[in-house]
Amino acid sequence: MASSSSDAAGAGRPGGSFRRPGDRVFSGLATGAGVTILALLAGVAIFLMIEAWPAITAPAEDIPGGEGLWHLIAPLAFGTVLGSLIAILLAVPMAIGVSLYITHFAPRRLSQTLGYIIDLLAAVPSIVYGLWGIAVLGPAAVGMHRWLAGNLGFIPFFEGPASATGRTMLVVGVVLGVMILPIITAVTREVFSQTPRAQIEAALALGATRWEMIRMTVLPFGKSAVIGGSMLGLGRALGETMAVTIILSVSGAVTLNLISSGNPSTIAANIALNFPESSGLAVNALIASGLALFAITLVVNMAARAVIYRSEQALR
Amino acid sequence: MSSAKSVEVSDLDLYYGSFHAVQNVNMTIQPNKVTALIGSSGCGKSTFLRSLNRMHELVHGARVEGSVILEGQDIYAPDVDPVAVRSQVGMVFQQPNPFPTMSIYENVAAGLRLNSRRMKKPAMDEIVERSLRGANLWEEVKNRLERAGSGLSGGQQQRLCIARAIAVEPEVLLMDEPCSALDPVATLAIEELIRELKVNYTIVIVTHNMQQASRASDITGFFNLEESGKPGRLVEIDETETIFSNPANKATEDYVTGRFG
């Protein structure tokens, strides 16, 4: 952000002499916006560091749980990543499919309506998704949980015993997946629809079928958007609080078992549940877990940037 | 090698929704000849060209009436698959459009990999080399086949697109103003290539450049509008020499002598 706005300012200053007042005002505003973002990010990071510091330096037995900060945060981080991973695995292929349908298969009028509906999904508050998860999807999924435990129990994910309430990591993952689907779809749909016509025609004129045309032009063109959109969605899933807090039945266990009633909590849900009753060092410990979430999100985003960058450099 | 075929166009009418773009075209496109289509902007020559490989219908609301017969088969018959038509009738576009995420080699091989055709690497290598040689590009790119096609100059990119089109050995090659984005040197290279390609292909080229039509084509067709809003029509088609020296129609004469358009 900041770098691109300073580039723009540089371009408007040939030879460093006269500058129009309008250009100066605009470049000032743009630079200001860029700097503000950086300052906000730095401010959040500094706040988290300062508030987390007492918990990081405190002796292990003073941390809630009595086993130190690592033992408090690691299971939460595990639960956070696990739930978000399920969500991403479900939502990304679905989002790509929906976007392709809207941009290249659906009749014109239908594709517009469908686009509006998807955007509406993004506007549903997360508490509503949470209520839907616990009141509808959870109970409805109990039978499927039993079936998974009975038939696919040899896979660690479905080891069982199946939860009787459906308040499991699997249901949380599905609800998070539904929540982030519209964000990913909105981004990928927009970019898929901007695939250059010249490339689409080049593929079709070679005798490509519609699917081959999509594989040759639309998907490569939209690749970085798929990754970028997924990261936006992942960010929301990692930080999602209400839906997880409501749905998940928590035991604090670190397990890959997705369908039992004993699940690791997530960082955000744990903060929401415990913050009101905490005081002193317990608050610092919770903020330290927030710092961990911040770090996870940052690392995931940087990894995604690296993937995009490498795929762009591959053909130079 | 591929065998060039003639194309028989009868009573062809082209529409965009309710707009009648091209009216009642009849022509025979001869094999192993270069047929140039000239005419002012908006007269429907590009639209007509795109109807020859069923690209016209990709525009929302576009319609076709009449018939285009390629090798005894009407390409607009209900049981004909447009995908099959397009692999028989190749196309080169106004703007060079190599696939930006593919290397030079992959660009040429792109058509060979379609429709789940399987091909061994040596056979593929051979076709890629032959197509690049056919497009007069081999010597320039043989040492950097794995580089991106978009790194080439405009003229090289256009020859890459021609190599890509001839790699699938079409029977007819359509070119929609293939030189309009190129400088004069690159243009001459492409024109020379067009003359070489007609040994193996039937070529139809749309051009705004009358020198180009007179230099590169054997047959020239002149498209015109009676007035704006009316559909374009094929006014006259004849040997290129006749069109440029002694056309039958007054409008053609005005156009080729530069008194019009």
Side-chain angles (χ1 to χ4, degrees):
Chain A
M1 237 7 178
S3 74
S4 70
S5 62
S6 64
D7 284 353
R13 207 175 352 170
S17 53
F18 177 75
R19 289 176 72 198
R20 288 168 197 282
D23 275 354
R24 212 172 322 173
V25 169
F26 182 76
S27 98
L29 284 174
T31 312
V35 170
T36 309
I37 288 285
L38 281 183
L40 273 174
L41 197 65
V44 170
I46 290 167
F47 158 79
L48 287 173
M49 294 284 237
I50 291 174
E51 291 294 312
W53 192 249
I56 295 171
T57 50
E61 58 273 17
D62 292 352
I63 301 290
E67 289 181 85
L69 199 58
W70 175 249
H71 282 269
L72 181 75
I73 295 178
L76 297 174
F78 175 79
T80 306
V81 172
L82 184 62
S84 303
L85 222 54
I86 301 173
I88 280 289
L89 287 178
L90 293 174
V92 170
M94 182 87 176
I96 293 175
V98 172
S99 302
L100 286 178
Y101 179 71
I102 290 177
T103 52
H104 289 94
F105 289 94
R108 253 192 193 189
R109 198 169 297 162
L110 182 64
S111 79
Q112 266 178 10
T113 321
L114 212 56
Y116 288 135
I117 294 175
I118 302 268
D119 288 347
L120 266 181
L121 267 182
V124 176
S126 61
I127 183 87
V128 175
Y129 282 109
L131 290 172
W132 172 70
I134 192 168
V136 181
L137 186 65
V142 170
M144 189 193 68
H145 281 63
R146 290 213 182 95
W147 186 89
L148 285 172
N151 294 285
L152 296 172
F154 57 90
I155 304 171
F157 298 127
F158 307 125
E159 203 179 294
S163 158
T165 56
R167 298 175 61 181
T168 62
M169 192 54 94
L170 185 62
V171 169
V172 165
V174 172
V175 170
L176 288 179
V178 175
M179 279 179 61
I180 64 177
L181 178 65
I183 304 175
I184 306 176
T185 308
V187 175
T188 50
R189 178 188 54 169
E190 199 53 46
V191 176
F192 284 173
S193 73
Q194 285 166 12
T195 311
R197 192 144 188 90
Q199 283 173 42
I200 293 178
E201 292 197 335
L204 291 174
L206 273 179
T209 62
R210 195 157 1 180
W211 163 239
E212 286 169 332
M213 176 275 287
I214 286 170
R215 224 182 44 206
M216 289 163 80
T217 62
V218 179
L219 292 181
F221 181 78
K223 188 162 86 181
S224 62
V226 170
I227 296 175
S230 304
M231 287 310 116
L232 272 181
L234 188 58
R236 187 171 179 198
L238 286 170
E240 176 50 35
T241 312
M242 276 330 290
V244 181
T245 312
I246 292 183
I247 298 170
L248 199 61
S249 142
V250 173
S251 73
V254 175
T255 171
L256 281 174
N257 189 347
L258 302 178
I259 59 170
S260 76
S261 53
N263 298 288
S265 186
T266 70
I267 292 174
N270 183 63
I271 294 175
L273 276 175
N274 293 323
F275 199 84
E277 284 106 49
S278 298
S279 60
L281 200 59
V283 172
N284 299 118
L286 287 178
I287 292 175
S289 74
L291 182 63
L293 180 59
F294 187 76
I296 292 174
T297 319
L298 215 61
V299 166
V300 164
N301 264 299
M302 280 160 62
R305 292 271 150 231
V307 169
I308 295 173
Y309 180 77
R310 275 183 56 179
S311 75
E312 280 171 356
Q313 292 296 310
L315 261 182
R316 295 273 157 95
Chain B
M1 275 316 267
S2 62
S3 45
K5 295 283 166 14
S6 68
V7 182
E8 196 77 43
V9 180
S10 328
D11 301 325
L12 193 73
D13 282 89
L14 304 171
Y15 301 85
Y16 292 105
S18 59
F19 175 66
H20 195 171
V22 177
Q23 189 177 34
N24 194 33
V25 174
N26 289 282
M27 71 162 80
T28 302
I29 297 164
Q30 298 175 33
N32 300 107
K33 294 249 164 107
V34 178
T35 302
L37 304 177
I38 59 171
S40 51
S41 294
C43 68
K45 56 197 188 306
S46 283
T47 301
F48 170 73
L49 190 78
R50 292 167 61 88
S51 74
L52 298 180
N53 66 343
R54 295 193 64 169
M55 294 292 283
H56 173 64
E57 67 206 51
L58 295 176
V59 179
H60 187 71
R63 267 184 314 124
V64 179
E65 283 170 17
S67 69
V68 176
I69 293 171
L70 172 68
E71 206 185 347
Q73 168 72 57
D74 182 0
I75 64 169
Y76 283 101
D79 59 335
V80 170
D81 179 2
V83 169
V85 171
R86 293 181 200 131
S87 59
Q88 283 173 283
V89 185
M91 190 161 200
V92 176
F93 297 83
Q94 188 168 356
Q95 291 288 336
N97 56 358
F99 298 119
T101 52
M102 295 185 193
S103 67
I104 293 169
Y105 183 100
E106 286 169 335
N107 260 287
V108 181
L112 302 170
R113 294 191 166 125
L114 292 175
N115 311 125
S116 18
R117 253 176 285 171
R118 300 238 173 273
M119 190 176 281
K120 294 231 162 60
K121 177 91 167 107
M124 181 101 71
D125 288 349
E126 196 192 314
I127 296 181
V128 168
E129 179 176 343
R130 189 204 303 156
S131 306
L132 284 169
R133 282 189 192 282
N136 290 342
L137 191 60
W138 174 253
E139 293 300 326
E140 289 155 72
V141 301
K142 63 181 175 188
N143 294 322
R144 46 171 170 162
L145 292 175
E146 302 311 318
R147 298 280 205 76
S150 46
L152 299 172
S153 75
Q156 290 173 324
Q157 286 190 26
Q158 195 62 298
R159 279 179 280 149
L160 177 61
C161 292
I162 292 173
R164 179 176 68 187
I166 60 180
V168 293
E169 306 200 341
E171 285 146 15
V172 180
L173 199 54
L174 309 177
M175 297 185 166
D176 190 357
E177 300 180 40
C179 302
S180 66
L182 305 181
D183 67 55
V185 176
T187 299
L188 278 180
I190 301 268
E191 283 176 16
E192 207 179 295
L193 174 60
I194 289 170
R195 277 190 295 270
E196 290 169 16
L197 286 171
K198 75 176 177 186
V199 176
N200 293 311
Y201 303 96
T202 301
I203 295 174
V204 186
I205 173 171
V206 163
T207 178
H208 269 295
N209 180 332
M210 277 179 283
Q211 283 83 30
Q212 180 166 71
S214 67
R215 280 191 303 252
S217 74
D218 306 297
I219 311 283
T220 297
F222 172 57
F223 276 78
N224 199 11
L225 301 165
E226 274 161 39
E227 54 188 289
S228 72
K230 288 270 186 73
R233 337 170 58 122
L234 176 65
V235 175
E236 186 174 354
I237 183 165
D238 210 327
E239 298 280 332
T240 297
E241 220 179 287
T242 314
I243 291 283
F244 281 92
S245 59
N246 188 22
N249 192 290
K250 179 80 168 60
T252 314
E253 188 179 348
D254 286 352
Y255 186 78
V256 298
T257 54
R259 255 175 283 167
F260 167 99

